Amino acid sequence: MDGADSPVATILLVDDSRTIRQILRNSLVGAGFTVLQAGDGQAGLEVMRAEHPDLVLLDIDMPVLNGLDTMRAMQSDPELAEIPVLFLTARTSGADVAEGLGLGARDYLRKPCEADELLARVGAALARRQAEIELSLKAQELDDLSTTDQLTALGNRRRWQVAVSQLQARGDLSRPIALAMIDIDHFKVINDTMGHLDGDTVLTLVARRLRNAASDDDTLVRWGGEEFMLLRVGPESAHIAHTAEEMRASVCRWPLAVGIDRVVEVTVSVGWVTGSLGEMDHLLGLADERLYAAKAAGRNCVVGLA
């Protein structure tokens, strides 16, 4: 292990031979790893689900559930599929090893194996897994940046599109949804009279109040300019009228502090609609119509269509 502060990797040994497990355990513990054990594949799966080890050393020939079937069970379980596996085999034929590698195993060891080879292959598998985790985190970070509005910290239209695409890919287009389109009233006047820096502050503060009024499960994005869009999915979408009114009220309830001893009163107009996931494009048009109806009604109000 690299240094006293390095996290200790946990390795699960799954082998029906106590002797083999003890030999492997001694080498691994001596190298600083935490070691768990199981005598067959079924017991191994139970340990994996309970302990989530960093690596599994998995024997191919075992009673109850052999290594290949254990690997298949891992691949079918999202919580276990990413755990790296090294196969253990005493067979001279490479057919089982090839099948195991085809199922996603990282490497294999022939029994009996030397301690140096064991530690080298374990270290390589763990290093590869750590590199994959770091790459995934970096990709997620970049994706978050690309789907986040940098001014308000809300999602942007790309995040909206990703969220909708994911929902539609799951099927069930009859699933109920609600949309609410929110627009800051007279925002151009704010920019023209107070300047764009204060306008940006208003956008940020309004976004924060809208987020606080929405549910944690809602998708709320900056739609563009001074417009925001909320998506709610499922049975709770029936309560969108209440949420829309709460968002409107949350913005105008108190003036916004845009600087030292400087405040501005801001209102929003809201248009909302309900329907099904399969009607998304049509509902977007209806939400836009309801928003303009709210503007025509004098602004600082909510107009909806159930």
Side-chain angles (χ1 to χ4, degrees):
M1 305 301 290
D2 296 329
D5 294 331
S6 297
V8 177
T10 297
I11 299 174
L12 171 62
L13 302 177
V14 186
D15 196 304
D16 61 324
S17 169
R18 289 186 179 182
T19 302
I20 292 295
R21 293 204 310 268
Q22 189 60 42
I23 293 172
L24 297 175
R25 181 186 180 281
N26 290 343
S27 296
L28 294 168
V29 170
F33 296 107
T34 297
V35 178
L36 307 172
Q37 299 184 51
D40 61 69
Q42 189 60 50
L45 290 171
E46 293 173 4
V47 175
M48 290 179 220
R49 294 187 178 104
E51 302 293 340
H52 298 283
D54 299 297
L55 177 69
V56 176
L57 297 183
L58 183 61
D59 188 25
I60 289 180
D61 291 311
M62 291 184 295
V64 184
L65 193 67
N66 66 39
L68 295 175
D69 287 338
T70 301
M71 186 73 184
R72 292 186 183 95
M74 291 176 66
Q75 292 299 308
S76 66
D77 186 334
E79 292 188 2
L80 306 182
E82 298 302 319
I83 300 176
V85 172
L86 298 186
F87 268 121
L88 302 171
T89 181
R91 297 184 181 184
T92 57
S93 169
D96 287 331
V97 169
E99 186 173 359
L101 294 174
L103 288 171
R106 301 301 178 90
D107 205 343
Y108 71 95
L109 285 160
R110 294 198 183 277
K111 300 185 293 184
C113 60
E114 296 292 334
D116 288 345
E117 181 184 7
L118 168 68
L119 296 177
R121 291 183 186 271
V122 164
L126 289 172
R128 179 181 171 188
R129 178 57 183 152
Q130 184 60 35
E132 291 172 350
I133 291 172
E134 292 174 359
L135 184 62
S136 177
L137 290 174
K138 186 63 176 178
Q140 184 61 55
E141 180 182 340
L142 292 174
D143 186 64
D144 288 344
L145 285 173
S146 71
T147 61
T148 298
D149 177 64
Q150 297 304 301
L151 178 63
T152 65
L154 295 179
N156 56 23
R157 287 184 78 148
R158 183 172 180 272
R159 183 175 298 179
W160 172 279
Q161 292 164 352
V162 168
V164 170
S165 295
Q166 290 175 340
L167 286 168
Q168 292 175 336
R170 295 172 194 162
D172 191 11
L173 297 183
S174 63
R175 195 174 183 187
I177 66 169
L179 305 180
M181 185 175 286
I182 308 104
D183 184 83
I184 300 177
D185 296 325
H186 301 299
F187 186 70
K188 184 177 185 303
V189 174
I190 295 173
N191 270 337
D192 290 345
T193 58
M194 302 180 64
H196 288 279
L197 288 178
D198 283 348
D200 286 349
T201 300
V202 167
L203 280 168
T204 301
L205 295 175
V206 168
R208 188 177 304 164
R209 292 188 181 184
L210 293 176
R211 179 69 270 175
N212 289 338
S215 166
D216 290 340
D217 294 330
D218 293 335
T219 298
L220 178 65
V221 302
R222 184 182 177 191
W223 197 242
E226 66 272 24
E227 284 189 342
F228 304 86
M229 182 73 81
L230 179 142
L231 166 65
R232 177 173 292 173
V233 181
E236 291 300 313
S237 60
H239 304 307
I240 189 63
H242 173 76
T243 300
E245 174 56 29
E246 191 60 30
M247 288 192 296
R248 182 204 65 78
S250 71
V251 173
C252 68
R253 190 171 289 133
W254 305 284
L256 301 177
V258 295
I260 299 176
D261 298 327
R262 289 192 301 120
V263 298
V264 58
E265 293 186 355
V266 176
T267 64
V268 296
S269 299
V270 185
W272 63 264
V273 294
T274 61
S276 65
L277 182 59
E279 302 174 292
M280 178 63 73
D281 290 342
H282 178 59
L283 293 177
L284 284 170
L286 291 179
D288 190 53
E289 291 177 6
R290 300 284 79 74
L291 173 62
Y292 276 94
K295 294 283 188 182
R299 295 182 170 83
N300 191 26
C301 64
V302 175
V303 175
L305 176 66

